[in-house]
Amino acid sequence: MRLCNKVVLITGAGSGIGRSTALVFAKEGASVIVNDLTAAAGEETEAAIRSEGGKALFIQADVTDPASVQKMVARAIGEYGRIDVLFNNAGISGVGALHEVEPDAWDRIVRVNVRGVYLPSKYVLPHMMERRNGSIINMSSCVAEIGLARRASYAATKGAVLALTKSMQVDYASYNIRVNALLPGTILTPFVEKYLKESYDDPQAGLDGIRRRQLSGDLGLPEDVAQAALFLASDESKFMMGSPLYIDGGAVFGKNA
Ligand SMILES: NC(=O)c1ccc[n+]([C@@H]2O[C@H](COP(=O)([O-])OP(=O)(O)OC[C@H]3O[C@@H](n4cnc5c(N)ncnc54)[C@H](O)[C@@H]3O)[C@@H](O)[C@H]2O)c1
């Protein structure tokens, strides 16, 4: 019960890494506020947690919309009185070298992946500051550290999230709030399946290429990232501040292909 009595808000928890993390956090005793844009997905995560005896509440909200986020945070605080951990996980993918990216697609990915970290943080932070306690986990990516082909817009957003994480940490350290980033490599989720289809004529060849740029022969699983998130959410990581945490099968410090 590493998160006993903690109230956790996870954005984009209807699928992939967010869903897996919600299940792991609930098993560790947390009350999990499951956020997603898609109601059916969020409700499924909520039901999965409850069916295992865990505590979950689904709140639909669009992390890019201030009114929607404010309403979500107000409801969460009304229900639980506090938010101990905010996991800014929601994100979308973007494919293409810079000249291939249309302006609308560029704006959309920046909106979801950067504004979608800024807004939940903006409305949760005052509550954490008041209680002088909190852990914020921001979803970056190993693409913030290494150049990958045809990922320009996505890389730009994940680099921004990493820089924002460090800046936030400096501003909120005196409130006993920790802010750290997760940098996953390739994790098998619906997000990656879509990316493989969009990026490669032969998705299997794409997968083989991804494997070659890691040290591990396997791709990551959502649970691998969930365990890292659990560490950052728990008090066990109390000396980690403004840090990038890599879960990438050796892609960053192993091979840079
Ligand atoms: N899968 C990977 O290989 C990988 C690697 C590094 C980083 N990441 C990051 O991890 C995060 C989760 O990725 P995933 O692979 O689990 O993706 P996923 O597509 O399986 O899940 C993302 C969830 O976010 C939700 N979402 C999207 N826009 C939203 C919005 N505006 N408001 C609320 N919810 C919204 C989606 O509905 C979806 O349920 C993303 O930020 C992604 O960039 C993923």
Side-chain angles (χ1 to χ4, degrees), residues 11-19 35-38 41-42 60-65 87-93 108 111-113 116 139-143 151 154 157-158 182-195 220 222 225 247:
T11 67
S15 173
I17 295 168
R19 180 183 185 278
N35 158 262
D36 209 282
L37 184 59
T38 311
Q60 184 182 20
D62 178 349
V63 294
T64 70
D65 176 54
F87 180 15
N88 286 310
N89 164 75
I92 58 173
S93 73
R108 182 168 149 63
R111 201 175 160 83
V112 177
N113 292 6
M139 182 57 92
S140 178
S141 162
C142 74
V143 81
R151 307 287 276 148
Y154 184 70
T157 65
K158 293 304 181 181
L182 290 174
L183 281 74
T186 306
I187 311 295
L188 261 186
T189 67
F191 172 102
V192 162
E193 284 158 21
K194 180 168 177 279
Y195 155 72
V225 185
I247 319 101

Side-chain angles (χ1 to χ4, degrees), residues 169-217:
Q169 182 60 89
V170 173
D171 288 336
Y172 302 110
S174 61
Y175 293 93
N176 194 31
I177 297 169
R178 298 184 300 111
V179 189
N180 293 290
L182 290 174
L183 281 74
T186 306
I187 311 295
L188 261 186
T189 67
F191 172 102
V192 162
E193 284 158 21
K194 180 168 177 279
Y195 155 72
L196 283 170
K197 273 191 222 131
E198 284 172 0
S199 306
Y200 301 97
D201 295 333
D202 178 358
Q204 187 55 46
L207 257 182
D208 293 344
I210 288 170
R211 285 205 179 89
R212 275 197 301 275
R213 74 178 181 231
Q214 310 176 153
L215 289 176
S216 169

Side-chain angles (χ1 to χ4, degrees), residues 11-94:
T11 67
S15 173
I17 295 168
R19 180 183 185 278
S20 177
T21 306
L23 287 160
V24 166
F25 281 15
K27 276 206 187 103
E28 295 292 341
S31 297
V32 183
I33 301 148
V34 173
N35 158 262
D36 209 282
L37 184 59
T38 311
E43 281 163 3
E44 192 280 326
T45 302
E46 178 192 57
I49 291 173
R50 288 184 178 171
S51 73
E52 291 181 6
K55 291 165 275 184
L57 172 70
F58 169 61
I59 307 181
Q60 184 182 20
D62 178 349
V63 294
T64 70
D65 176 54
S68 180
V69 174
Q70 266 179 297
K71 226 170 120 191
M72 168 174 71
V73 173
R75 181 156 170 227
I77 297 288
E79 202 78 35
Y80 296 104
R82 65 183 198 280
I83 295 170
D84 299 297
V85 178
L86 167 64
F87 180 15
N88 286 310
N89 164 75
I92 58 173
S93 73

